[in-house]
Amino acid sequence: EMTNGAVRLYPLEDPNVHGLLPLGDGILIFSDMGVSTRLTLLAGDTLYPIAQTEVNIFLSPEDSTLRRWEDGISFFDYNAREMLVLDDRLREISRIPVPEDLAGTPLLSTDRTTLYYCTDSAIRALDLESGISRVLKEIAYSYQNVTGLLLNDTVLECCLEDGDFSWEYLYISTLTGETLHVTDSGALLTSSETTWYASLTDGPLQLLLYGQPGSDALALNPQTHFSDFRFLPEDNAAVVLTVSDENRMVLDHYSMDTGLRTSSFTLESECFPWCYESIGNGRVAFLFNQGTEDNVSMALWNTEMLPSGDSQSYTDPYYTLDEPDYDGLAGCTLYA
């Protein structure tokens, strides 16, 4: 009522729901069944179930092997050691056996033609049609694993550890194997086909950065200190959760195109929102617990129906020690 219908609530009967993911024309929810995961596809204005299946592993939207496209999903079945491919009605399309020398977990390309994986001595790409496995990069760490495909499958992210609990993240070209970047910051990185999004810690600050390859990065600076956030690459947007002085929770939606805070609303203090996903047309789905952990509901937030009226931009150029804000420094020096 407080949002005039812009935010609609859907109580879920299953207390074990732990995640959601848009899939085709519906919303896929994940339920923890102990030794398995139940997948249920909800659709329509009432979010009624139209398909359901159960997989014999624990699976969540945060699983590094889980990939989604318009007509299905794929993920690694750890028990069967196969990549399982489902369509947008949760029907099994195929099972792809992984190479025997696999180290860690594999990733399937969006077009489902290439399997990326690590061995003990290399990062490799397996052409599933020809069966030919090519070396992308020779590398030998105590632990190495592929963890992400970015920018329309042109960049492969790998996690490395050499036995001293010092982690590195390596980014290479999927075409040539060329090293594009190495970092130990552990940035949470995602992307659309053309834009990358990263969250990383810099001293006491959590930086929310985004940009396009070859261009200067931009930083999103929310209006208040935030406790949770999520980039929404499909909409070039972000959702930020803050806790107000009255111990109320405020959800803000930011557009990366303009830097504007496009939509905002306040939740009651006993609500705990999480797992934000774009479902198209400016709408955001998220889960929340109300009062107790086993009382899970879903909310659909139409950001276009709830404009914030805020005309301030919250994005700025990203400055570093190597490339500081020279104009700002000159102004500070003059003021001092």
Side-chain angles (χ1 to χ4, degrees):
E1 295 179 0
M2 294 175 60
T3 63
N4 296 320
V7 181
R8 303 176 65 179
L9 307 182
Y10 298 84
L12 300 176
E13 296 181 358
D14 188 350
N16 299 312
V17 171
H18 62 267
L20 66 84
L21 195 70
L23 180 61
D25 55 2
I27 299 175
L28 183 64
I29 61 173
F30 298 68
S31 302
D32 183 6
M33 307 303 293
V35 296
S36 63
T37 303
R38 184 169 61 220
L39 304 176
T40 305
L41 188 63
L42 308 177
D45 293 336
T46 59
L47 293 184
Y48 57 90
I50 61 173
Q52 190 173 82
T53 191
E54 196 162 321
V55 296
N56 295 322
I57 59 169
F58 176 77
L59 184 67
S60 77
E62 288 75 36
D63 191 305
S64 64
T65 72
L66 179 63
R67 304 212 66 205
R68 171 178 59 95
W69 44 89
E70 291 183 359
D71 61 348
I73 60 173
S74 68
F75 54 89
F76 184 46
D77 185 332
Y78 299 81
N79 295 324
R81 290 184 63 80
E82 296 173 323
M83 289 297 295
L84 180 58
V85 183
L86 306 180
D87 69 8
D88 59 359
R89 288 298 181 268
L90 306 182
R91 295 170 297 211
E92 184 176 317
I93 297 176
S94 63
R95 285 183 173 268
I96 304 170
V98 299
E100 293 184 0
D101 56 353
L102 168 74
T105 55
L107 282 173
L108 185 62
S109 64
T110 303
D111 60 12
R112 288 169 270 181
T113 63
T114 305
L115 195 70
Y116 296 95
Y117 66 102
C118 285
T119 66
D120 290 338
S121 59
I123 304 169
R124 306 184 71 97
L126 172 64
D127 186 298
L128 295 174
E129 184 175 354
S130 67
I132 297 174
S133 177
R134 62 187 174 96
V135 174
L136 284 176
K137 193 171 204 63
E138 292 184 349
I139 192 168
Y141 279 70
S142 299
Y143 172 87
Q144 50 197 35
N145 190 28
V146 294
T147 51
L149 279 165
L150 306 163
L151 295 171
N152 202 25
D153 288 4
T154 61
V155 177
L156 182 66
E157 178 189 66
C158 303
C159 180
L160 313 172
E161 196 267 330
D162 208 14
D164 58 357
F165 299 103
S166 177
W167 299 89
E168 285 188 349
Y169 293 86
L170 170 69
Y171 299 90
I172 66 173
S173 165
T174 57
L175 181 63
T176 65
E178 174 191 2
T179 297
L180 305 174
H181 189 66
V182 180
T183 179
D184 59 1
S185 64
L188 296 176
L189 194 61
T190 185
S191 75
S192 64
E193 290 187 357
T194 59
T195 305
W196 57 265
Y197 307 85
S199 167
L200 63 138
T201 301
D202 185 6
L205 301 177
Q206 187 171 15
L207 304 178
L208 305 181
L209 309 177
Y210 65 102
Q212 296 182 347
S215 301
D216 293 335
L218 294 172
L220 173 66
N221 299 304
Q223 60 168 353
T224 57
H225 178 71
F226 58 91
S227 58
D228 196 13
F229 81 98
R230 179 65 177 268
F231 281 118
L232 306 175
E234 298 86 351
D235 294 341
N236 197 26
V239 171
V240 174
L241 174 70
T242 59
V243 179
S244 67
D245 294 338
E246 296 81 12
N247 201 31
R248 293 180 300 175
M249 295 188 177
V250 179
L251 274 174
D252 293 312
H253 181 272
Y254 292 86
S255 167
M256 305 292 96
D257 290 323
T258 62
L260 298 179
R261 185 167 61 102
T262 53
S263 184
S264 179
F265 72 96
T266 301
L267 295 89
E268 298 177 359
S269 58
E270 65 268 19
C271 293
F272 304 96
W274 45 285
C275 198
Y276 316 97
E277 293 284 353
S278 167
I279 56 174
N281 300 319
R283 296 177 301 158
V284 178
F286 62 89
L287 298 172
F288 68 93
N289 299 91
Q290 196 163 14
T292 61
E293 291 186 359
D294 58 357
N295 186 4
V296 182
S297 296
M298 184 187 300
L300 300 186
W301 171 18
N302 190 327
T303 61
E304 295 178 355
M305 289 178 60
L306 196 65
S308 68
D310 190 348
S311 59
Q312 178 181 342
S313 176
Y314 293 92
T315 57
D316 298 291
Y318 171 50
Y319 299 110
T320 66
L321 289 175
D322 295 328
E323 293 292 335
D325 179 5
Y326 291 107
D327 292 339
L329 285 173
C332 289
T333 302
L334 183 62
Y335 178 79

